[in-house]
Amino acid sequence: MSSNSQSINRVQDLLDRITELQRILEDLEPNIRNNRVRSQYEEVRTRLANTKSAIWALGTIIDRYSSAS
């Protein structure tokens, strides 16, 4: 397996893990009653979404780079 395809697989693995964390958070959401906890929950959810977008963009760049080689 080439280094580039290993990188792409790692990116996909990270995206899969983030998606799983998002699902876990969504399962917890109905049980949040405390405003402070809800605020922290929203912050984590936003950070996960931002991280997922950044990793997806990185995967796109790696894919383009490996296609150009």
Side-chain angles (χ1 to χ4, degrees), residues 14-37:
L14 285 171
L15 289 171
D16 291 345
R17 289 176 186 205
I18 289 171
T19 300
E20 182 60 26
L21 286 172
Q22 286 176 318
R23 281 191 206 117
I24 291 168
L25 280 175
E26 288 168 5
D27 289 345
L28 294 173
E29 185 176 15
N31 298 319
I32 298 173
R33 305 262 188 273
N34 181 298
N35 286 336
R36 190 175 127 252
V37 173

